[in-house]
Amino acid sequence: MKFLPLLWSNLQRKRLRTWLTLASIVVAFLLFGILQTMRAALTGGADLAGVDRLVTINKVSIIQPLPQSYLNRVRSVEGVRIAMSQDWFGGIFQDDRNQIAALTVDPKIFFEVYPEYSLPEAQRAEWQADRAGAIVGSAVAERFGWKAGDTIPLRSNIWTKSDGSSTWDLKIIGIYSTSNGDNSSLYFQYDYLNEARSFGRNNIGMIVMRIADPSRSADIARKVDEQFANSSTETKTSTEKAFVQGFANQMGSIGTIVTAVSSAVFFTMLLVIANTMGQSVRERTNELAVMKTLGFSSFQVTAMVLAEALLLTVLGAAIGLGVAAMAAMSLGQAIQQFFPTLGMPANTYIIGAVLAIGLGAIAGALPCAQAWQLKIVDALRKA
């Protein structure tokens, strides 16, 4: 620590060059933090999925419906504890920009399928009794200022009523909370949708089931699909995690994209920092020789050169990741309806610290070698 003022003075020798290099490192780690945030947002839902839940959809496409009669047949499969249908509603509140993850479910068994969701017992009973009732997550309720007892007009970009209207009036029964992070959804009764919609009556979008033994998920999924094999509407059953991950995979391998972009950025930064440190050592050759003359060992001189590189990269990484964290918070509030779990993962800081130290060490390797091999007589003669 006693050499820190000396290190900082050396970095300020060419202030413009140092600040430009620092700014480049900040931008690199800012980009890294945002990429990690988006990767977590696109794939994080899979990590929150229930380990004991399976999802059955139409084998052709998720947008193709299933007959409602399939639900009882799935319930009869050995190993299935409970199952319910689920339909995507495509909710819009007032403005097209206010999109809500609205789904229809069976309120009688919803909390058995999703035990991580909590709602007071009185509100659960009221929801079951009111066909036009809905429950909403705490995040979406706070966003729009909704409270229990409010009636909201929710427009669908998919479903229309038999009278031609696309607006559905829903009464907010309660505000749920959940331990899995998804507090931005809205759920209402399937019967309310099914009885009033102009098309698709007695069809369901998908079936979500809880199973008794997660270790038998592959076997149970196979048995479910075998029931509908060679029928006009075949099914595809997978774990909830695989189902959620499938959406992210439609955009390609997010992990590969993040790795490729980050690698390109950090390789560029490696060249920039190495060039900066190389120039710094060449400009101070005679000063380093004087330090050795005054009694500094080759190890001490080399360590200070390496410390300069590490100080630059660690400082830039700290600023960049800090700005990325603030950006993730602001971005999360803006697009919470699309990515309920948006936020910079905690391991980003650990990975960032390792990258900063590794980047500084590699970039400073050649300048350190030059400082170590520096001969006092030769350096002073050139001066």
Side-chain angles (χ1 to χ4, degrees):
M1 293 296 293
K2 65 180 180 180
F3 295 118
L4 190 59
L6 178 59
L7 297 177
W8 187 247
S9 297
N10 289 335
L11 289 174
Q12 288 186 306
R13 184 181 299 271
K14 297 288 184 178
R15 292 188 178 182
L16 179 60
R17 182 176 66 197
T18 299
W19 286 113
L20 288 176
T21 303
L22 182 63
S24 300
I25 299 171
V26 169
V27 171
F29 280 91
L30 170 61
L31 178 60
F32 171 71
I34 292 176
L35 286 173
Q36 287 290 100
T37 299
M38 294 310 300
R39 181 191 63 79
L42 291 168
T43 62
D47 297 328
L48 301 176
V51 296
D52 61 346
R53 282 195 291 267
L54 300 180
V55 178
T56 298
I57 62 174
N58 191 301
K59 188 175 182 179
V60 175
S61 170
I62 189 174
I63 64 174
Q64 298 296 321
L66 298 171
Q68 189 180 24
S69 60
Y70 278 22
L71 185 55
N72 285 331
R73 295 175 64 181
V74 168
R75 288 170 175 165
S76 67
V77 174
E78 181 189 359
V80 174
R81 292 175 55 188
I82 194 166
M84 73 171 184
S85 64
Q86 197 171 93
D87 283 76
W88 178 258
F89 181 75
I92 300 172
F93 180 64
Q94 295 181 336
D95 190 282
D96 287 343
R97 292 173 297 181
N98 298 330
Q99 297 191 34
I100 301 171
L103 302 101
T104 66
V105 295
D106 183 347
K108 294 182 177 65
I109 59 175
F110 175 79
F111 294 99
E112 295 181 59
V113 178
Y114 292 98
E116 64 269 29
Y117 285 65
S118 62
L119 189 74
E121 287 294 336
Q123 293 181 346
R124 292 190 186 189
E126 185 180 355
W127 185 31
Q128 294 175 16
D130 191 340
R131 282 182 177 264
I135 62 171
V136 299
S138 54
V140 71
E142 181 181 353
R143 178 184 171 208
F144 296 114
W146 295 343
K147 59 184 182 299
D150 290 348
T151 298
I152 60 169
L154 201 64
R155 181 161 49 91
S156 175
N157 53 16
I158 301 174
W159 305 108
T160 57
K161 292 183 176 180
S162 53
D163 61 5
S165 172
S166 61
T167 301
W168 304 69
D169 293 326
L170 297 172
K171 179 183 177 181
I172 304 299
I173 301 298
I175 299 172
Y176 73 81
S177 60
T178 176
S179 59
N180 73 351
D182 179 17
N183 288 296
S184 298
S185 299
L186 179 149
Y187 299 95
F188 67 101
Q189 291 204 31
Y190 167 80
D191 289 340
Y192 178 54
L193 171 70
N194 190 49
E195 291 172 358
R197 59 184 169 184
S198 60
F199 64 95
R201 192 166 297 177
N202 296 326
N203 283 329
I204 55 178
M206 68 183 76
I207 298 173
V208 182
M209 69 199 84
R210 283 188 71 192
I211 58 177
D213 184 1
S215 66
R216 294 186 56 224
S217 58
D219 180 52
I220 296 172
R222 179 181 54 79
K223 288 181 178 180
V224 170
D225 292 336
E226 283 178 351
Q227 289 219 55
F228 312 109
N230 301 317
S231 68
S232 59
T233 308
E234 295 187 292
T235 62
K236 177 183 178 182
T237 303
S238 61
T239 62
E240 189 178 56
K241 182 173 183 178
F243 173 73
V244 174
Q245 187 65 53
F247 285 99
N249 291 342
Q250 291 177 9
M251 300 181 63
S253 176
I254 304 301
T256 301
I257 294 173
V258 170
T259 301
V261 174
S262 300
S263 298
V265 170
F266 284 113
F267 178 73
T268 304
M269 288 302 98
L270 179 64
L271 298 179
V272 171
I273 300 170
N275 181 64
T276 299
M277 296 309 302
Q279 287 183 346
S280 178
V281 170
R282 286 193 296 271
E283 291 170 357
R284 304 197 328 261
T285 299
N286 59 328
E287 295 180 16
L288 296 178
V290 171
M291 290 179 66
K292 286 190 174 183
T293 303
L294 294 175
F296 284 84
S297 66
S298 294
F299 174 79
Q300 289 177 313
V301 173
T302 303
M304 279 192 286
V305 172
L306 178 60
E308 287 181 34
L310 291 175
L311 178 62
L312 201 59
T313 55
V314 171
L315 181 60
I319 297 173
L321 291 177
V323 174
M326 292 187 289
M329 291 177 59
S330 300
L331 193 62
Q333 295 174 355
I335 59 176
Q336 192 175 53
Q337 67 268 37
F338 304 111
F339 301 106
T341 60
L342 185 65
M344 197 165 78
N347 65 353
T348 302
Y349 298 101
I350 300 175
I351 298 173
V354 173
L355 287 173
I357 295 173
L359 187 63
I362 296 174
L366 182 58
C368 284
Q370 294 173 341
W372 182 274
Q373 297 172 0
L374 183 65
K375 302 298 183 183
I376 298 176
V377 175
D378 294 338
L380 295 177
R381 182 184 297 119
K382 293 179 181 178

